[in-house]
Structures are given as structure tokens and as C-alpha cells.
Amino acid sequence: MSDAPEVPVAPEVRQPVVTPVRVVIALCLVAPFVAMLWVSSYAKADPTFIGIPFFYWYQMLWVLISTALTMIAYQLWQRDQRARKALKEGASR
């Protein structure tokens, strides 16, 4: 047998599944669906933008907004995963 002292093992700390960051991520991903499914809010021709009816340019605008929101959600998710990994590694030491 060895004479080395035993290192106490810290109990595993469970992190909450629902956090404010994850709520923001969910909102970023759900917002485009809500905007596009609420058809009565944009089912009209006026106002026009450079001759394009509102119905069309509103949807094209949401393509850009959806891209930005997805990029934000992805960055937040990556940051959240790095923080969780750091906490897990820190707790295991």
C-alpha cells in the first residue's frame, strides 16, 4: 500500500439547466417564428419601400434579422458551454 494521503473528492455540483443566458438564446431563436407566423401583422401592401409592398420587404427584413439573432444565439451558446466546462474542470480539481 502507498503512504500518499488520499485527496478528498469534492461532490459534483449540478448546474441549473435553465439559466438567464439560455432564456435569451431561446428568445433569439423563437422570435423569427413568432414574427412570421403572426401573418395579420404584415399582410398589407402599405407602406411600400422603393416600390416593394410591405408584405415582401418585411419578410426579407426578417431574413437578415433571423441571421443576426441566430449568430447571437450561437455566440451566447458557445460562451455558456465554455463557462460550464471551466466550472466542471474547476470543481473536479
Side-chain angles (χ1 to χ4, degrees):
M1 302 243 192
S2 71
D3 292 330
E6 290 185 27
V7 177
V9 177
E12 185 176 328
V13 178
R14 294 194 59 159
Q15 298 173 353
V17 176
V18 178
T19 61
V21 172
R22 289 186 174 191
V23 170
V24 171
I25 292 169
L27 290 174
C28 285
L29 296 175
V30 169
F33 289 104
V34 172
M36 290 294 94
L37 290 175
W38 187 19
V39 178
S40 63
S41 70
Y42 63 92
K44 51 189 171 187
D46 290 326
T48 59
F49 176 69
I50 60 171
I52 302 171
F54 179 76
F55 180 80
Y56 294 112
W57 68 258
Y58 179 81
Q59 290 181 11
M60 291 299 110
L61 180 63
W62 270 102
V63 170
L64 300 175
I65 294 170
S66 297
T67 302
L69 289 174
T70 303
M71 288 179 4
I72 291 167
Y74 177 75
Q75 293 297 321
L76 289 172
W77 180 257
Q78 290 298 320
R79 189 174 75 181
D80 183 59
Q81 292 304 305
R82 283 192 302 268
R84 284 177 175 268
K85 185 177 178 183
L87 282 175
K88 187 176 180 182
E89 289 176 356
S92 66
R93 291 183 185 181

